[in-house]
Amino acid sequence: SLLTLLMNLSCLLIGTCFLGKKFGLRCVYISLLLPLAMALIPEYEPLLTSSPFINCLLFLVLLTNGQCIMLALDTTSGGLDTIAEVLARKLHASSGMMIGLLGALVSILTISVYGLGSAIKGVLVTLANGAMIQLLFLIKDKSKTTLRRLRAKA
């Protein structure tokens, strides 16, 4: 969790430079809380199932929902999602797509350390995470549009 804090703070500095002080200040709070939450996870590990596949799905749902909440509030954890947000804004791309692509790239780079099997799982999970973020934001946008139309007709 200390390594995560150091990496998040460096990504946070990059995000602050490109996205402004206001963005950086909102991210500091989450960047400091994330390593603390990560330190607590081993305490609750026995609550998870014995199936690695179901554990992966639970992780994916929690991660995606957390990232969607942060992105909806125009903030990030200060980590890779900050870099993805910088790229998304500069390239006029979606945050979900950038998070998925950057996560997949990082997963590919870990082949030499964790092996091909772990890298493939990482690529699949991060691409699924990006796709789920895209889907949730599409649903949110469609809901807003539908509500506006209903209010206009009323």
Side-chain angles (χ1 to χ4, degrees):
S1 60
L2 179 61
L3 180 61
T4 300
L5 176 63
L6 294 174
M7 289 188 317
N8 283 355
L9 289 177
S10 62
C11 290
L12 182 61
L13 288 173
I14 293 168
T16 302
C17 290
F18 285 97
L19 303 174
K21 286 183 191 176
K22 189 176 177 183
F23 178 84
L25 289 173
R26 282 193 303 264
C27 297
V28 167
Y29 179 68
I30 294 170
S31 295
L32 295 175
L33 285 179
L34 183 63
L36 294 174
M38 288 176 64
L40 293 175
I41 288 174
E43 298 293 322
Y44 297 99
E45 189 175 355
L47 298 176
L48 297 175
T49 69
S50 60
S51 166
F53 180 74
I54 292 176
N55 286 345
C56 184
L57 289 178
L58 290 171
F59 165 76
L60 187 59
V61 168
L62 286 171
L63 175 68
T64 300
N65 284 303
Q67 285 181 318
C68 283
I69 291 168
M70 287 187 303
L71 292 171
L73 296 172
D74 196 32
T75 188
T76 65
S77 68
L80 191 62
D81 51 341
T82 304
I83 304 301
E85 188 66 17
V86 169
L87 289 173
R89 291 185 187 187
K90 296 296 179 188
L91 299 174
H92 304 288
S94 69
S95 298
M97 182 178 72
M98 284 289 128
I99 287 171
L101 290 175
L102 281 177
L105 176 64
V106 169
S107 295
I108 289 168
L109 294 174
T110 65
I111 288 174
S112 63
V113 177
Y114 297 107
L116 183 61
S118 291
I120 290 171
K121 287 179 211 169
V123 168
L124 292 174
V125 168
T126 55
L127 289 176
N129 174 246
M132 287 174 65
I133 290 171
Q134 278 301 110
L135 179 65
L136 290 173
F137 273 97
L138 278 172
I139 291 169
K140 182 186 89 160
D141 292 343
K142 290 282 186 188
S143 299
K144 282 183 179 180
T145 304
T146 304
L147 281 174
R148 265 183 268 168
R149 286 182 188 157
L150 290 173
R151 287 180 183 149
K153 288 181 181 181

